[in-house]
Amino acid sequence: MKGKCGRVLLIGVLLFWGLFSVNAQDMTDEGLKKWVSQFSSLHLLTTNDDASYAAVTKSYMGNVDTVLVFSHNRKNPVDTLVGYTISRSFVTNTHLFASGVGKARLVNVKTGKRLDYSSVRNAGVIKGKGQYYVVDRKKMLTVYDLEGDVLYRADAVDKVVGDEHKMVLVRSSSDGRSSIVVWDGQKGDIIYTSGLSIDKIELMPLGRYLSIRETEVKSDTRSIKILDCLTGMLTSPQELQNIPERVVKVTEVENGKSFLVTAETQIPVPETPIVKLWYGTAKELRFTKNGKTKYRFWYLTDSFKKITELPMDRFEVFTPLNNSRYLWAFSNKEAFDYVHANPRYDMFLYDTQLKTYTLIYPQAAEIFGSADGRYAMSFDRKKKIWKLFDLQDQKMTGIKGADLRNPVFSLDGRQLFFSGKTDLYCFDLKTGVLKSLDISKDAEVVVMDKQVVMGFTHLETKFNTVTVDTAKPLRLQLYNSVQSVTSVLEWNGDKAVVLIPETDRRVRKVIFGRKGKNKSGFSIEENFNLPDGLYSISGFTKNRKLIYQTNPQDSVAAKLKVEVVHYRNSSGVPLKGILTYPVDYDPSREYPMVVRVYQLQSSASSHYISADVAQDGFSKRLLIEKGYFVFQPDIVFDHRGTGVSSLDCVNKALDALEGHSSIDFSKVGLMGHSMGGYETNFIATQSKRFAAYISGSSVANTVQAYFSYNTLFEVPDYARYEHGQFEMNVPYSENRELYDRNNPVNYVQNVNAPVLLWAGCKDTNVVPEQTEAFYVGLLRNRKPVVALHYRDQSHSLGFMTPETFDLNRRVIAWWDYFLKGSEDVEWIRKEMISY
């Protein structure tokens, strides 16, 4: 097989011409690069406090180096900053500070005045003081006011951290000593001096406490100290001195009432012995590839008077969730025989006072917490309910609603909000009553202004505090999936104010002013035929005006046409498909069509169709410019199994198009990658509606894959089938017939149209042997097939790589040959000449 993986098929060099439209002669690497490089998009929108100015990054394919600054009342940028993309923030409502590699700039966005700095090593702002700082390559730190006047200087600066009100820096001296200085906006005071090397400082979230990590070079050990920046009190527990672990972290709990100190040691994977022992009772397969992390924990409580090393005899992991008395504890050993693709653990609550453990959430992976640390919540996937635990009253409450998602606690700890398939729901934490807020009867409602504090993460576990301030009106985004429209409202409990009326555009990002009644803001929006645009929003008048449009050169965009096709599968589930028309569509003509499958795709109906050289070979813009319809039907899985369900959905989707006079239904191709490749393989064995197929990185033998070990995720692959992406929801041993009925290779003899297969030889997600299995099945049954094995690539072929260009050329050539009759493609003709 290694020899085959080394043989990547090549095609001749072709010429490129035409700026924005690609035809069969434009497909060289350089030609495609030139084509896509002219298309840009907008990202990383930020505004000043009252949203009177906005800064946004403009990026091209492989090039992100331009920041544009805008105001509401002009379409041209107030300023353009090239190369300042490392950091940027508004110091005041009229001053933007940005840094790039080796440089920084302060811009007065109102007057246009600039102050530039070169030879920059580090830079940042002290927003609450209206100041900024620059550290040059000689480690000289300088603090400036908004006029560029020097306020403070310090040399030999190694590290800088800070918040809106102060800056903390580490200075080293020639005698090997280190000192920590706090600049409060007026003066710089030394608050700590050490004879050791200070290799890390971290300001805790509230800005009062500073954790200090020092290294003793000779012994290669680390010591942890916690400094109160307000009182100057230094806490240096003996237990936290001379720790051998290289990674030591400090987590503030419940506003400084306690601290959890974590020391980590990475245990490497041992060298491969002559024989490996794999046990049937193995509980740590997930660590066989990258090794595992061994933890030690200390808990510092009672105003720094008490420190306890947590016991590790039962649980390997402890983590806080904003409650100083209780910690969450779990064992990172697999408890459920790897049935789930992402691990789930029995989550225990550890009482640091009574030293007791209580199982709260069996088989959980994610826990949400309230701001006051009183409530924790997790979703029980088995019972399909949310479980809310009151740590104060030690009481569990079930909240029914399988469709409830996106939980958000109110900052005052009184309410809990959920998005539903329609509307926004509120659970009263005092009364235990869940009610609909009647904001919308047909749209999902999502809280926009929520604050997420990320907690401990280990092997896909998440412990996050998610809150919203209900003292202010809630800004809500509504999405009607049936009509594919989005809107934004401001809701104050009994009244909703429309900020963005319903639009069929995709609202990628929206920011409003953070001051009281200010309802102005900016948004980034797009549609399938409308490139990214920056819009000015006035909530009082509901006006939204375009102030900057990307890709004005894209004259083709206005010609693009997309239709959302509605249909139902045999079980009556309502589904949608995206039908994209060929460029320069003529209703009097017939066109071939490419159907692309991959589960749910209809949410992309409002995505701008940009130039793209896709890593999986599906470049929609290329296809429609070359005269193809492109159809992307939704697929859902049910009790019939993954393949049978896919076939049914695609058949019903094609049935919904039957009356379309411009589609040549004798010239329809089907393609997919990964899961879409599996769907393509199965449909190819069952359908006679397609003239050709393309399948990439795909499963062909589900039974073999079920009983395989996935070296990418370090788990048996049956997890992917039982409760993962394939949604079979039953083990093979309990329903062999279901698995066999949905196994493409079982029916490979029924394929009746040519198949193009491709795989990356380094793919450890879907191993290339799966592609080879389908190839061998087609070969044995004398079915036309060409297989591409890309020697140096994996599941996808990489960003703008030679292999990606090669695949995109071959995809177009394949469709042109079988759907348009272009028979001069030698590498295809060589296979077909014998049939």
Side-chain angles (χ1 to χ4, degrees):
M1 293 304 175
K2 291 183 178 179
K4 182 192 299 180
C5 289
R7 296 195 293 272
V8 180
L9 297 175
L10 301 175
I11 64 176
V13 176
L14 304 173
L15 298 177
F16 177 88
W17 65 271
L19 192 56
F20 305 114
S21 182
V22 176
N23 60 32
Q25 283 76 40
D26 301 325
M27 301 290 288
T28 64
D29 288 12
E30 291 305 314
L32 289 170
K33 286 178 184 177
K34 184 177 180 181
W35 178 52
V36 299
S37 69
Q38 297 167 79
F39 289 77
S40 61
S41 58
L42 301 178
H43 305 278
L44 301 176
L45 175 67
T46 187
T47 71
N48 57 356
D49 283 343
D50 65 5
S52 55
Y53 290 94
V56 64
T57 297
K58 182 179 181 181
S59 64
Y60 294 84
M61 187 71 72
N63 183 8
V64 184
D65 71 345
T66 304
V67 175
L68 303 175
V69 185
F70 294 92
S71 65
H72 288 284
N73 55 7
R74 53 184 290 183
K75 287 196 172 184
N76 294 325
V78 174
D79 206 341
T80 299
L81 294 81
V82 177
Y84 294 86
T85 54
I86 291 180
S87 67
R88 51 189 169 82
S89 58
F90 283 93
V91 191
T92 69
N93 270 332
T94 57
H95 291 81
L96 175 71
F97 185 72
S99 65
V101 178
K103 59 184 179 179
R105 174 180 290 174
L106 178 74
V107 180
N108 185 323
V109 293
K110 188 173 183 179
T111 67
K113 180 182 177 181
R114 298 177 174 182
L115 294 173
D116 287 319
Y117 302 90
S118 59
S119 190
V120 174
R121 183 185 184 192
N122 188 12
V125 304
I126 314 170
K127 185 173 181 178
K129 304 297 182 181
Q131 300 170 1
Y132 61 98
Y133 65 88
V134 174
V135 182
D136 66 22
R137 288 174 179 166
K138 295 182 179 180
K139 299 187 178 182
M140 173 66 75
L141 176 141
T142 308
V143 180
Y144 300 90
D145 65 14
L146 297 176
E147 297 301 318
D149 294 331
V150 175
L151 301 176
Y152 174 73
R153 274 206 169 105
D155 61 359
V157 173
D158 293 318
K159 295 168 182 62
V160 183
V161 299
D163 56 22
E164 289 197 349
H165 305 290
K166 61 182 171 297
M167 176 182 63
V168 183
L169 55 105
V170 176
R171 298 180 64 191
S172 57
S173 60
S174 57
D175 61 1
R177 299 181 66 80
S178 300
S179 59
I180 295 179
V181 179
V182 172
W183 167 258
D184 63 3
Q186 295 182 324
K187 62 184 185 304
D189 293 330
I190 297 176
I191 58 173
Y192 176 70
T193 301
S194 173
L196 300 176
S197 170
I198 300 176
D199 60 0
K200 183 180 180 181
I201 57 173
E202 184 176 4
L203 201 59
M204 297 291 103
L206 288 183
R208 176 170 178 175
Y209 296 100
L210 182 77
S211 69
I212 305 168
R213 189 178 74 191
E214 301 171 325
T215 298
E216 169 56 63
V217 177
K218 291 182 179 179
S219 62
D220 192 25
T221 58
R222 275 137 290 279
S223 297
I224 296 295
K225 298 177 175 63
I226 298 175
L227 182 66
D228 187 332
C229 295
L230 184 63
T231 65
M233 185 181 78
L234 182 72
T235 301
S236 179
Q238 184 61 39
E239 294 88 342
L240 300 181
Q241 311 310 302
N242 302 314
I243 298 173
E245 288 89 346
R246 291 182 174 273
V247 178
V248 188
K249 302 175 183 177
V250 178
T251 302
E252 183 180 33
V253 182
E254 201 174 347
N255 303 331
K257 286 187 178 180
S258 56
F259 295 87
L260 182 69
V261 180
T262 307
E264 301 179 7
T265 301
Q266 191 67 26
I267 301 175
V269 177
E271 292 186 12
T272 304
I274 190 172
V275 59
K276 284 185 179 181
L277 296 178
W278 283 20
Y279 292 97
T281 55
K283 301 296 183 183
E284 297 183 316
L285 289 179
R286 297 183 195 270
F287 306 114
T288 56
K289 180 179 179 181
N290 297 314
K292 68 177 296 184
T293 302
K294 182 180 179 181
Y295 300 96
R296 285 201 296 159
F297 299 92
W298 295 265
Y299 205 45
L300 187 60
T301 57
D302 297 338
S303 300
F304 306 104
K305 295 177 183 177
K306 182 180 179 182
I307 184 168
T308 304
E309 183 168 2
L310 300 179
M312 304 300 294
D313 56 329
R314 184 172 179 184
F315 299 106
E316 289 90 351
V317 179
F318 290 85
T319 182
L321 197 55
N322 216 32
N323 188 300
S324 59
R325 175 171 176 173
Y326 297 101
L327 297 172
W328 293 92
F330 63 94
S331 170
N332 59 18
K333 292 183 173 66
E334 181 66 41
F336 307 109
D337 299 322
Y338 309 99
V339 170
H340 303 288
N342 295 327
R344 299 176 188 175
Y345 304 104
D346 287 343
M347 298 293 183
F348 288 77
L349 198 64
Y350 176 64
D351 188 326
T352 61
Q353 294 180 10
L354 300 179
K355 304 294 189 297
T356 58
Y357 299 93
T358 305
L359 176 62
I360 304 298
Y361 294 120
Q363 301 189 34
E366 186 172 24
I367 299 178
F368 301 88
S370 61
D372 59 4
R374 176 172 178 174
Y375 297 100
M377 187 176 57
S378 185
F379 186 67
D380 188 323
R381 291 172 173 82
K382 189 174 183 179
K383 296 182 178 180
K384 305 297 181 184
I385 63 170
W386 287 94
K387 289 186 174 180
L388 178 74
F389 187 71
D390 185 335
L391 279 73
Q392 177 177 297
D393 295 340
Q394 295 288 292
K395 179 183 177 182
M396 182 73 79
T397 301
I399 305 175
K400 295 182 180 180
D403 294 331
L404 298 180
R405 49 192 177 274
N406 303 321
V408 183
F409 288 94
S410 63
L411 196 59
D412 61 11
R414 296 179 179 179
Q415 297 167 303
L416 174 60
F417 298 97
F418 294 95
S419 300
K421 280 189 175 180
T422 60
D423 212 355
L424 186 69
Y425 294 81
C426 178
F427 182 82
D428 190 303
L429 291 168
K430 184 176 182 180
T431 66
V433 175
L434 176 72
K435 67 177 182 179
S436 167
L437 297 180
D438 294 326
I439 294 170
S440 174
K441 297 184 183 302
D442 52 17
E444 179 185 11
V445 183
V446 177
V447 177
M448 296 175 59
D449 296 332
K450 65 183 178 183
Q451 299 295 315
V452 180
V453 178
M454 304 292 289
F456 183 87
T457 299
H458 173 85
L459 284 180
E460 305 299 327
T461 59
K462 295 178 182 177
F463 296 84
N464 296 332
T465 301
V466 186
T467 60
V468 65
D469 188 356
T470 50
K472 303 175 183 177
L474 298 184
R475 283 166 179 156
L476 309 172
Q477 182 163 317
L478 284 65
Y479 179 67
N480 184 320
S481 60
V482 176
Q483 299 179 10
S484 298
V485 294
T486 300
S487 59
V488 176
L489 307 179
E490 185 174 83
W491 185 73
N492 63 8
D494 55 11
K495 181 181 178 182
V497 176
V498 177
L499 301 180
I500 298 181
E502 283 191 346
T503 175
D504 60 355
R505 299 174 191 164
R506 179 190 179 204
V507 182
R508 284 182 36 220
K509 182 71 175 180
V510 58
I511 299 179
F512 293 94
R514 290 184 286 273
K515 290 189 175 179
K517 298 181 179 180
N518 192 330
K519 293 181 175 60
S520 65
F522 294 89
S523 64
I524 298 175
E525 303 178 25
E526 65 177 330
N527 211 334
F528 66 90
N529 59 354
L530 184 67
D532 294 9
L534 182 67
Y535 291 80
S536 167
I537 304 171
S538 174
F540 292 108
T541 62
K542 300 182 185 178
N543 288 335
R544 196 161 89 262
K545 64 179 181 180
L546 176 68
I547 58 176
Y548 183 76
Q549 182 74 68
T550 59
N551 306 323
Q553 81 289 346
D554 186 6
S555 59
V556 173
K559 303 178 183 180
L560 302 182
K561 181 180 178 181
V562 166
E563 179 182 343
V564 177
V565 179
H566 294 264
Y567 59 99
R568 293 176 182 268
N569 69 0
S570 294
S571 300
V573 178
L575 299 169
K576 295 185 295 182
I578 309 171
L579 180 66
T580 307
Y581 283 61
V583 173
D584 296 324
Y585 167 69
D586 180 353
S588 66
R589 291 181 51 197
E590 277 194 335
Y591 297 85
M593 181 170 70
V594 173
V595 180
R596 191 259 192 167
V597 287
Y598 189 97
Q599 295 184 260
L600 298 176
Q601 303 178 88
S602 59
S603 61
S605 61
S606 57
H607 292 199
Y608 170 56
I609 306 174
S610 181
D612 182 28
V613 182
Q615 297 184 44
D616 64 355
F618 175 66
S619 297
K620 186 192 286 190
R621 184 68 178 256
L622 269 177
L623 288 166
I624 62 174
E625 288 198 2
K626 293 179 70 60
Y628 291 94
F629 275 99
V630 175
F631 189 38
Q632 297 167 264
D634 281 346
I635 290 173
V636 293
F637 306 143
D638 56 34
H639 65 280
R640 294 170 293 178
T642 319
V644 175
S645 302
S646 300
L647 174 67
D648 176 48
C649 291
V650 171
N651 277 334
K652 295 299 183 183
L654 290 176
D655 291 345
L657 294 178
E658 277 187 348
H660 203 302
S661 60
S662 295
I663 299 174
D664 183 350
F665 286 96
S666 69
K667 300 296 183 182
V668 178
L670 181 68
M671 72 182 300
H673 167 248
S674 194
M675 172 57 79
Y678 161 80
E679 294 165 343
T680 298
N681 290 345
F682 185 83
I683 292 170
T685 68
Q686 306 291 319
S687 177
K688 296 183 179 180
R689 304 179 78 155
F690 299 98
Y693 300 94
I694 299 177
S695 174
S697 304
S698 57
V699 171
N701 188 338
T702 53
V703 176
Q704 181 189 41
Y706 179 93
F707 289 108
S708 298
Y709 184 76
N710 190 301
T711 58
L712 178 65
F713 299 109
E714 294 299 306
V715 289
D717 249 340
Y718 55 69
R720 192 190 308 222
Y721 289 86
E722 291 186 30
H723 300 289
Q725 190 178 17
F726 280 78
E727 299 182 29
M728 299 293 272
N729 298 318
V730 64
Y732 177 79
S733 60
E734 294 181 13
N735 197 338
R736 295 178 60 176
E737 191 272 334
L738 178 67
Y739 279 84
D740 289 340
R741 189 180 347 126
N742 287 272
N743 193 355
V745 80
N746 286 353
Y747 311 99
V748 68
Q749 69 276 5
N750 298 331
V751 174
N752 70 337
V755 181
L756 176 65
L757 301 170
W758 67 267
C761 294
K762 295 184 178 180
D763 189 354
T764 54
N765 185 8
V766 178
V767 293
E769 286 77 11
Q770 284 287 325
T771 297
E772 291 164 3
F774 209 59
Y775 168 81
V776 170
L778 292 167
L779 179 70
R780 178 62 185 85
N781 289 280
R782 299 306 302 135
K783 304 292 183 177
V785 58
V786 176
L788 312 174
H789 295 80
Y790 288 96
R791 181 191 62 203
D792 298 322
Q793 295 298 338
S794 55
H795 195 57
S796 296
L797 299 187
F799 176 70
M800 303 288 275
T801 62
E803 293 88 346
T804 291
F805 289 122
D806 180 77
L807 177 61
N808 278 262
R809 280 192 291 267
R810 293 181 186 282
V811 166
I812 295 300
W814 188 262
W815 295 137
D816 284 353
Y817 190 98
F818 292 106
L819 305 186
K820 286 188 174 181
S822 300
E823 297 185 355
D824 59 344
V825 185
E826 179 58 27
W827 65 270
I828 302 176
R829 194 180 68 84
K830 183 176 179 179
E831 169 67 9
M832 298 305 299
I833 198 170
S834 300
Y835 294 92

